[in-house]
Amino acid sequence: MKRDFMKVVGLCNKLFTVAIFFLLILSGCKKADTIVSPASEDEVFARKARQADLKLMVDNLVSPIGIVAVPDNSGRMVVIDQIGRLWMLNASGEKLATPFIDLTSRMVTLNPNFDERGLLGLAFHPDYKNNGRFFVYYSSPPRAGGPTPTTTWNNLARFSEFKVSADMNIADMGSEKILLEIDDPQSNHNGGTLVFGEDGYLYISIGDGGGANDTPAGHVTDWYTTNAGGNGQDITQNLWGSILRIDVNSGSPYGIPSDNPFVGKPGLDEIYAYGFRNPYRMSFDMSGSGKLFVGDAGQLLYEEVDVVVKGGNYGWNVKEGTHCFNAANSLSPFADCPSVDPETGAMLIDPVIEMNNAQNPAGGIVTLTVIGGNVYRGNSIPGLMGKYVFGSFSKSSAPQGEIFFAQPAGPGLWPFQELSLKSYT
């Protein structure tokens, strides 16, 4: 089974730095002179895009997987180190000596060479400047029991609220309020993004629970009997394989937005959209269209980016990308598969971006997994204004991460192009 994302240690230490490219964290760069699925842009635009480069922000971290701006007009940022620490960068970009928070003692023990568990997500409350509230997603030790009488849980996915202490650079460790805990059957496919929408609700991306094909223990039976499993298509028995949407300003421990798609209908009320394999990184185009973009990791053949709508079904494990998935032989897609979820009547929504995985026999990108990015709304690189900028994860210890961009468009697959960085051409 492929390794989807994060390495905790390994490679050389110099690779584990935080290089920020529109808040996109990459595992490395390669010389990028090949265009993939060329966009319909002229060479003038391409030259403008190649003004982009990476900027080193901070190093001497173990496994940095994200960076989040503190929404208090202080100019500070927080780096997510997967091993369990959040590091504060001051307005000058300097890492403070003491972690903003250290959750290592509350987490499951991570494997030393590779793990997809850990401290995975962080979101500050929109009114953080006044209330000091922030939210994290981390992997805690498993509870007793398991998905079957002969298997145990692997870990406990925990979503918690904390508050900042009297020291604005240190969290109050005693303030933890656990919002939600989900028994996790396998160690991988955990998703990991927490982000607030313009509606003030907290959105959470979580994967299908792990393992291959969405079929191991802990993956329930769904409506699609051709493929065994799976959590991605289920909306009644667990929350795995979904984007969740909750109200952290009401309820105990949280409230449910009244317009969530399954309120008053069959389905768990927290679910906003479903049919995902491993939606590791997602983001809103906050100053533009307001759309929610999700990078969803495929299995062996196809990687995808989705534009998520309320109640949408994004196909896994009926489909991998735009193709009919075959759980019995994941390298040999079916010729046909359903296009509608018969239980909800929802159409299976295809991605807006599809790329061949490095393991695809037809050839493709040199990397294993798509890493969802952001729509660029800055002024420094005119050629990228309004483009969706995203990345990929190296398939080996060699730094081979790639950066891509696409022009958001209408229905159908969007063409995308690899971004050549100024220092790497």
Side-chain angles (χ1 to χ4, degrees):
M1 179 175 57
K2 80 174 187 182
R3 295 181 172 183
D4 284 66
F5 304 119
M6 302 155 279
K7 295 191 175 182
V8 176
V9 295
L11 304 183
C12 67
N13 290 335
K14 288 184 179 179
L15 292 180
F16 280 115
T17 59
V18 175
I20 308 307
F21 184 76
F22 313 131
L23 304 187
L24 192 65
I25 306 303
L26 304 178
S27 64
C29 301
K30 61 183 265 301
K31 288 187 177 180
D33 53 9
T34 301
I35 292 177
V36 181
S37 299
S40 58
E41 306 287 348
D42 58 24
E43 183 57 30
V44 174
F45 165 75
R47 285 198 300 269
K48 288 182 178 180
R50 283 195 287 270
Q51 298 169 14
D53 211 344
L54 295 180
K55 178 182 178 181
L56 175 64
M57 299 296 293
V58 60
D59 56 9
N60 295 318
L61 297 161
V62 178
S63 185
I65 60 170
I67 187 165
V68 181
V70 182
D72 61 358
N73 301 319
S74 67
R76 297 176 300 156
M77 296 184 289
V78 171
V79 177
I80 305 169
D81 199 338
Q82 184 194 350
I83 62 168
R85 298 186 179 100
L86 298 177
W87 293 97
M88 183 70 72
L89 307 184
N90 64 21
S92 299
E94 301 166 327
K95 180 168 72 75
L96 303 188
T98 302
F100 178 61
I101 196 169
D102 187 342
L103 296 170
T104 54
S105 65
R106 306 185 188 191
M107 288 182 8
V108 68
T109 300
L110 301 180
N111 296 318
N113 293 314
F114 170 80
D115 214 312
E116 293 185 24
R117 301 169 299 176
L119 177 54
L120 302 178
L122 162 69
F124 290 99
H125 192 281
D127 195 30
Y128 177 80
K129 182 178 180 180
N130 295 312
N131 63 28
R133 300 168 67 193
F134 66 96
F135 303 83
V136 295
Y137 169 19
Y138 66 96
S139 308
S140 61
R143 293 189 279 211
T148 73
T150 59
T151 58
T152 59
W153 299 113
N154 179 274
N155 67 91
L156 183 65
R158 178 175 289 165
F159 305 86
S160 289
E161 174 186 332
F162 284 87
K163 291 185 177 180
V164 70
S165 70
D167 182 341
M168 65 184 297
N169 293 315
I170 302 291
D172 178 357
M173 293 297 296
S175 67
E176 182 172 19
K177 173 185 175 183
I178 297 174
L179 301 179
L180 178 64
E181 293 181 325
I182 311 173
D183 294 306
D184 194 344
Q186 283 86 42
S187 65
N188 57 347
H189 301 184
N190 302 312
T193 301
L194 306 181
V195 63
F196 280 91
E198 290 184 326
D199 54 16
Y201 298 131
L202 180 62
Y203 291 72
I204 301 169
S205 69
I206 56 175
D208 67 10
N213 305 309
D214 200 8
T215 59
H219 296 245
V220 300
T221 300
D222 67 8
W223 60 268
Y224 186 51
T225 57
T226 301
N227 284 341
N231 290 340
Q233 288 301 307
D234 169 68
I235 59 170
T236 61
Q237 300 175 72
N238 62 51
L239 296 171
W240 293 112
S242 304
I243 307 297
L244 312 182
R245 180 190 191 222
I246 62 174
D247 182 358
V248 299
N249 296 316
S250 68
S252 180
Y254 58 83
I256 299 293
S258 60
D259 64 338
N260 270 10
F262 300 113
V263 171
K265 303 176 184 177
L268 298 173
D269 289 349
E270 292 88 347
I271 295 175
Y272 181 79
Y274 62 108
F276 298 98
R277 183 176 182 271
N278 195 1
Y280 173 56
R281 285 293 176 253
M282 66 180 181
S283 67
F284 283 99
D285 179 11
M286 294 293 281
S287 61
S289 66
K291 292 180 178 179
L292 178 58
F293 292 79
V294 175
D296 192 20
Q299 183 146 309
L300 293 177
L301 297 180
Y302 302 101
E303 304 298 309
E304 69 181 73
V305 174
D306 300 295
V307 174
V308 173
V309 297
K310 182 172 64 177
N313 181 341
Y314 290 84
W316 177 255
N317 69 354
V318 181
K319 303 182 78 172
E320 181 185 20
T322 62
H323 305 264
C324 297
F325 182 70
N326 180 355
N329 183 355
S330 56
L331 288 173
S332 180
F334 291 127
D336 297 294
C337 57
S339 60
V340 176
D341 174 350
E343 293 187 345
T344 65
M347 296 287 295
L348 304 189
I349 302 174
D350 281 341
V352 295
I353 295 172
E354 179 181 82
M355 56 174 62
N356 286 10
N357 186 278
Q359 298 170 98
N360 193 311
I365 59 174
V366 302
T367 48
L368 282 182
T369 303
V370 65
I371 306 295
N374 298 80
V375 175
Y376 180 62
R377 294 294 176 186
N379 299 314
S380 299
I381 310 174
L384 287 179
M385 171 58 73
K387 305 295 189 296
Y388 178 68
V389 185
F390 61 106
S392 64
F393 182 77
S394 300
K395 67 180 178 181
S396 68
S397 60
Q400 297 173 309
E402 299 161 298
I403 302 173
F404 304 96
F405 62 92
Q407 175 64 58
L413 290 175
W414 303 343
F416 64 94
Q417 190 170 348
E418 185 173 350
L419 181 68
S420 295
L421 299 174
K422 187 174 181 180
S423 298
Y424 294 85
T425 54

